[in-house]
């Protein structure tokens, strides 16, 4: 990050370990949806789990595309939340109405098998590969097979432009951050922590487990390109092993 | 060609700013934009520009530039001594700067950030629809360095209508109306009382990302890490040291520390001009009616 003086930017790579997406289910009703105020122009919708939040976000985008959502400037998914910021109707009544409506939605189960898919070529040769293999109880050679065989989905973005928090690993493969964060993780590092996988778009400090690298990380983020981000919320991701050194 | 301005003295931290990069928060892109938005709009209006034209935002020490064509310029925001080729000219009103003359905005006399608007606006290459420098993620034009050249837009036809307007001064005391939530329930009742009754001061560690404060720490009612969630402009985030930080324009789009409340956007221009040591008072603007749901958490 260009500033070490971030104002307590608590996001870091610090999304909590074990904020696990639950197994798919048959859809969610209003139960477990809580709508919290976030100032006069925003609402923060909190869901029961990560999977529910992804499903709610997908439903928001679907309804917005159909023109069924009141005007909002930003829809920002988080680990277990979706923020609606820049609500055009800033009156307390307007916001309360929207809050009630959001809380009443019936949310279809998340479809992980639809939507745009991107493939990211990676080399599985990260310094934490052996530790990850040990924690997963598999051989080092099996880690790339398991990881590249997983269908990922961008749950949310943050930390830096181009960084996506990818879900898809089953809960028994979720690992904590490293006890001691590294002062410098190179651009392109392929990493795991908690429920998430991600690729560092630029060099930065970081505490995730490094299992490999994307040889050409410039493809993750290019503001001169349309779209600027390879990974935006809802996009499906597959990692393709370009070469494995063991 | 519409001409350009050359940076003669970049100052401590001078950046190009417009209305910001709106609509990209879901990709982790901060909004950026002038911290004192009313000052940016006013300076632009006086220079004959649309309100959202790109201007220079200085920090404490001002800056100096040399246009290569005659240009109408306005220095507003934090009051400062303004000169053209060493000759004093008016602050806060349009002045004509001849081609090749040096417009110097001196150190802020009160407040922190002065704004330099030029007729036609500044036209560095836009990134995602904005020419603003974003110091958190490095998008947009880098902070100015001596010798940089910034292209100007076409001079507006005719002279601006207004020539003098009242500028709000830097606050002697920064009063920040606070809407509680979304995470005020993470704090003890005592902490919420402390927040709205105790005296805080602007910390010298404040920047475009956030206004940091000095004062009593706010104790949490619950421990643990907050899974990353979206953050709004004006969010009052409470990091582990317990001192509230008010998020300004370059704030991260998601964060993992609880937000006790959100400062009303109209108060943030004052936050942009409050010098370190300024007294800060958070006053309760209300517990919002937004809360609704079928979850088990009762209303506080």
């Amino acid at each position: 990050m260009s500033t070490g003086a971030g104002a307590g930017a608590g996001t870091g790579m610090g999304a909590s370990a074990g904020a696990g997406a639950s197994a798919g289910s048959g859809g969610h009703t209003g139960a477990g949806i809580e709508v919290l105020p976030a100032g006069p122009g925003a609402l923060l919708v909190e869901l029961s789990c990560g999977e529910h939040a992804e499903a709610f976000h997908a439903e928001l985008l679907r309804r917005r595309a159909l023109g069924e959502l009141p005007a909002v400037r930003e829809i920002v998914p988080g680990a277990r939340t979706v923020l609606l910021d820049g609500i055009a109707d800033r009156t307390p009544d307007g916001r309360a109405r929207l809050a009630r409506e959001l809380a009443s939605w019936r949310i279809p189960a998340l479809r992980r098998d639809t939507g745009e898919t991107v493939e990211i070529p990676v080399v599985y040769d990260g310094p934490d590969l052996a530790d990850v293999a040990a924690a997963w109880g598999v051989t080092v050679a099996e880690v790339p097979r398991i990881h590249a065989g997983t269908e990922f989905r961008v749950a949310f973005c943050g930390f830096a432009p181009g960084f996506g928090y990818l879900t898809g690993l089953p809960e028994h493969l979720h690992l904590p951050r490293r006890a001691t964060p590294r002062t410098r993780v190179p651009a392109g590092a392929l990493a795991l922590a908690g429920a998430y996988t991600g690729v560092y778009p630029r060099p930065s400090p970081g505490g995730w487990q490094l299992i490999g690298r994307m040889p050409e990380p410039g493809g993750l983020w290019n503001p001169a390109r349309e779209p600027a981000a390879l990974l935006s919320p809802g996009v499906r991701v597959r990692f393709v092993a370009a070469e494995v050194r063991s | 060609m519409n001409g350009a301005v050359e940076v003669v003295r970049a100052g401590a931290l001078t950046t190009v700013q417009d209305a910001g990069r709106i609509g990209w928060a879901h990709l982790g892109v901060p909004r950026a934009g002038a911290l004192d938005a009313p000052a940016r709009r006013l300076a632009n209006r006086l220079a004959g520009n649309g309100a959202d034209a790109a201007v220079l935002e200085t920090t404490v020490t001002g800056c100096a530039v040399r246009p290569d064509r005659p240009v109408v310029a306005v220095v507003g925001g934090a009051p400062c001594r303004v000169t053209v080729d060493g000759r004093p000219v008016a602050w806060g009103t349009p002045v004509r700067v001849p081609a090749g003359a040096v417009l110097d905005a001196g150190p802020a006399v009160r407040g922190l950030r002065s704004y330099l608007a030029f007729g036609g606006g500044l036209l560095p290459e836009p990134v995602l629809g904005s020419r603003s420098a974003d110091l958190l993620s490095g998008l947009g034009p880098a902070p100015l360095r001596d010798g940089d050249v910034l292209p100007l837009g076409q001079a507006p036809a005719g002279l601006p209508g207004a020539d003098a307007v009242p500028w709000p001064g830097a606050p002697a005391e920064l009063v920040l109306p606070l809407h509680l939530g979304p995470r005020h329930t993470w704090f003890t009742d005592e902490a919420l009382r402390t927040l709205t009754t105790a005296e805080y001061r602007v910390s010298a560690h404040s920047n475009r990302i956030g206004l940091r404060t000095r004062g009593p720490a706010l104790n949490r009612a619950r421990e643990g890490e907050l899974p990353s969630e979206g953050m709004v402009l004006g969010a009052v985030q409470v990091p582990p040291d317990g001192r509230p930080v008010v998020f300004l324009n370059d704030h991260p789009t998601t964060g993992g520390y609880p937000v006790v409340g959100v400062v009303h956007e109209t108060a943030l221009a004052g936050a942009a001009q409050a010098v370190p040591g300024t007294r800060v008072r958070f006053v309760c603007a209300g517990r919002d009616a937004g809360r609704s749901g079928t979850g088990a958490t009762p209303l506080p």
Side-chain angles (χ1 to χ4, degrees), chain B residues 233-249:
Chain B
L233 180 66
V236 180
Q237 202 191 46
V238 183
D241 74 2
R243 270 78 188 190
V245 177
V246 182
F247 272 170
L248 303 179
N249 293 53

mmCIF file of all heavy atoms in Angstrom, chain B residues 233-249:
data_model
loop_
_atom_site.group_PDB
_atom_site.id
_atom_site.type_symbol
_atom_site.label_atom_id
_atom_site.label_comp_id
_atom_site.label_asym_id
_atom_site.label_seq_id
_atom_site.Cartn_x
_atom_site.Cartn_y
_atom_site.Cartn_z
ATOM 1 N N LEU B 233 -17.891 7.194 3.826
ATOM 2 C CA LEU B 233 -17.233 8.462 4.134
ATOM 3 C C LEU B 233 -17.799 8.989 5.453
ATOM 4 O O LEU B 233 -19.007 8.989 5.654
ATOM 5 C CB LEU B 233 -17.518 9.456 3.000
ATOM 6 C CG LEU B 233 -16.897 10.846 3.139
ATOM 7 C CD1 LEU B 233 -15.384 10.772 3.068
ATOM 8 C CD2 LEU B 233 -17.424 11.768 2.048
ATOM 9 N N GLY B 234 -16.926 9.427 6.342
ATOM 10 C CA GLY B 234 -17.383 9.955 7.630
ATOM 11 C C GLY B 234 -17.523 8.900 8.706
ATOM 12 O O GLY B 234 -17.850 9.229 9.854
ATOM 13 N N ALA B 235 -17.274 7.630 8.349
ATOM 14 C CA ALA B 235 -17.357 6.551 9.347
ATOM 15 C C ALA B 235 -16.368 6.833 10.468
ATOM 16 O O ALA B 235 -15.232 7.236 10.218
ATOM 17 C CB ALA B 235 -17.053 5.206 8.702
ATOM 18 N N VAL B 236 -16.806 6.624 11.716
ATOM 19 C CA VAL B 236 -15.916 6.789 12.863
ATOM 20 C C VAL B 236 -15.490 5.390 13.287
ATOM 21 O O VAL B 236 -16.220 4.680 13.970
ATOM 22 C CB VAL B 236 -16.605 7.540 14.013
ATOM 23 C CG1 VAL B 236 -15.644 7.693 15.185
ATOM 24 C CG2 VAL B 236 -17.086 8.904 13.530
ATOM 25 N N GLN B 237 -14.311 5.003 12.819
ATOM 26 C CA GLN B 237 -13.806 3.662 13.092
ATOM 27 C C GLN B 237 -12.985 3.709 14.376
ATOM 28 O O GLN B 237 -12.285 4.691 14.633
ATOM 29 C CB GLN B 237 -12.941 3.190 11.919
ATOM 30 C CG GLN B 237 -12.806 1.686 11.848
ATOM 31 C CD GLN B 237 -11.754 1.222 10.859
ATOM 32 O OE1 GLN B 237 -10.640 1.735 10.818
ATOM 33 N NE2 GLN B 237 -12.107 0.237 10.060
ATOM 34 N N VAL B 238 -13.090 2.652 15.155
ATOM 35 C CA VAL B 238 -12.350 2.618 16.413
ATOM 36 C C VAL B 238 -11.342 1.470 16.367
ATOM 37 O O VAL B 238 -11.704 0.309 16.534
ATOM 38 C CB VAL B 238 -13.296 2.469 17.621
ATOM 39 C CG1 VAL B 238 -12.502 2.511 18.925
ATOM 40 C CG2 VAL B 238 -14.349 3.575 17.608
ATOM 41 N N PRO B 239 -10.069 1.788 16.119
ATOM 42 C CA PRO B 239 -9.028 0.764 16.080
ATOM 43 C C PRO B 239 -8.720 0.272 17.502
ATOM 44 O O PRO B 239 -9.283 0.788 18.465
ATOM 45 C CB PRO B 239 -7.845 1.501 15.450
ATOM 46 C CG PRO B 239 -8.083 2.940 15.706
ATOM 47 C CD PRO B 239 -9.562 3.128 15.818
ATOM 48 N N PRO B 240 -7.839 -0.736 17.620
ATOM 49 C CA PRO B 240 -7.597 -1.315 18.946
ATOM 50 C C PRO B 240 -7.138 -0.318 20.013
ATOM 51 O O PRO B 240 -7.360 -0.565 21.199
ATOM 52 C CB PRO B 240 -6.500 -2.351 18.664
ATOM 53 C CG PRO B 240 -6.714 -2.747 17.254
ATOM 54 C CD PRO B 240 -7.181 -1.509 16.561
ATOM 55 N N ASP B 241 -6.545 0.806 19.634
ATOM 56 C CA ASP B 241 -6.120 1.755 20.679
ATOM 57 C C ASP B 241 -7.301 2.555 21.247
ATOM 58 O O ASP B 241 -7.133 3.330 22.184
ATOM 59 C CB ASP B 241 -5.019 2.695 20.164
ATOM 60 C CG ASP B 241 -5.523 3.770 19.205
ATOM 61 O OD1 ASP B 241 -6.747 3.836 18.944
ATOM 62 O OD2 ASP B 241 -4.701 4.565 18.706
ATOM 63 N N GLY B 242 -8.503 2.372 20.685
ATOM 64 C CA GLY B 242 -9.701 2.972 21.258
ATOM 65 C C GLY B 242 -9.948 4.420 20.879
ATOM 66 O O GLY B 242 -10.968 4.990 21.258
ATOM 67 N N ARG B 243 -9.028 5.042 20.126
ATOM 68 C CA ARG B 243 -9.219 6.456 19.738
ATOM 69 C C ARG B 243 -9.926 6.525 18.394
ATOM 70 O O ARG B 243 -9.414 5.994 17.395
ATOM 71 C CB ARG B 243 -7.874 7.184 19.648
ATOM 72 C CG ARG B 243 -7.437 7.828 20.930
ATOM 73 C CD ARG B 243 -6.886 6.797 21.865
ATOM 74 N NE ARG B 243 -6.622 7.328 23.197
ATOM 75 C CZ ARG B 243 -5.956 6.635 24.128
ATOM 76 N NH1 ARG B 243 -5.526 5.404 23.879
ATOM 77 N NH2 ARG B 243 -5.762 7.161 25.319
ATOM 78 N N PRO B 244 -11.076 7.218 18.350
ATOM 79 C CA PRO B 244 -11.844 7.259 17.099
ATOM 80 C C PRO B 244 -11.088 7.917 15.942
ATOM 81 O O PRO B 244 -10.364 8.899 16.145
ATOM 82 C CB PRO B 244 -13.093 8.068 17.469
ATOM 83 C CG PRO B 244 -12.882 8.590 18.846
ATOM 84 C CD PRO B 244 -11.724 7.897 19.464
ATOM 85 N N VAL B 245 -11.265 7.357 14.762
ATOM 86 C CA VAL B 245 -10.705 7.895 13.523
ATOM 87 C C VAL B 245 -11.877 8.195 12.596
ATOM 88 O O VAL B 245 -12.713 7.322 12.361
ATOM 89 C CB VAL B 245 -9.786 6.862 12.837
ATOM 90 C CG1 VAL B 245 -9.253 7.400 11.514
ATOM 91 C CG2 VAL B 245 -8.638 6.454 13.750
ATOM 92 N N VAL B 246 -11.963 9.428 12.105
ATOM 93 C CA VAL B 246 -13.043 9.793 11.178
ATOM 94 C C VAL B 246 -12.531 9.597 9.750
ATOM 95 O O VAL B 246 -11.564 10.241 9.342
ATOM 96 C CB VAL B 246 -13.472 11.264 11.376
ATOM 97 C CG1 VAL B 246 -14.627 11.601 10.436
ATOM 98 C CG2 VAL B 246 -13.844 11.528 12.823
ATOM 99 N N PHE B 247 -13.173 8.708 9.006
ATOM 100 C CA PHE B 247 -12.710 8.413 7.653
ATOM 101 C C PHE B 247 -12.985 9.582 6.706
ATOM 102 O O PHE B 247 -14.110 10.053 6.574
ATOM 103 C CB PHE B 247 -13.402 7.150 7.129
ATOM 104 C CG PHE B 247 -12.669 5.881 7.496
ATOM 105 C CD1 PHE B 247 -13.258 4.654 7.274
ATOM 106 C CD2 PHE B 247 -11.395 5.913 8.037
ATOM 107 C CE1 PHE B 247 -12.593 3.469 7.585
ATOM 108 C CE2 PHE B 247 -10.709 4.742 8.362
ATOM 109 C CZ PHE B 247 -11.312 3.522 8.131
ATOM 110 N N LEU B 248 -11.921 10.029 6.032
ATOM 111 C CA LEU B 248 -12.029 11.068 5.010
ATOM 112 C C LEU B 248 -11.915 10.416 3.626
ATOM 113 O O LEU B 248 -11.958 9.200 3.501
ATOM 114 C CB LEU B 248 -10.953 12.131 5.260
ATOM 115 C CG LEU B 248 -11.026 12.779 6.665
ATOM 116 C CD1 LEU B 248 -9.914 13.812 6.844
ATOM 117 C CD2 LEU B 248 -12.394 13.420 6.910
ATOM 118 N N ASN B 249 -11.749 11.239 2.577
ATOM 119 C CA ASN B 249 -11.995 10.753 1.214
ATOM 120 C C ASN B 249 -11.140 9.590 0.730
ATOM 121 O O ASN B 249 -11.585 8.819 -0.112
ATOM 122 C CB ASN B 249 -11.865 11.913 0.227
ATOM 123 C CG ASN B 249 -12.956 12.932 0.424
ATOM 124 O OD1 ASN B 249 -13.158 13.416 1.536
ATOM 125 N ND2 ASN B 249 -13.682 13.254 -0.631
#
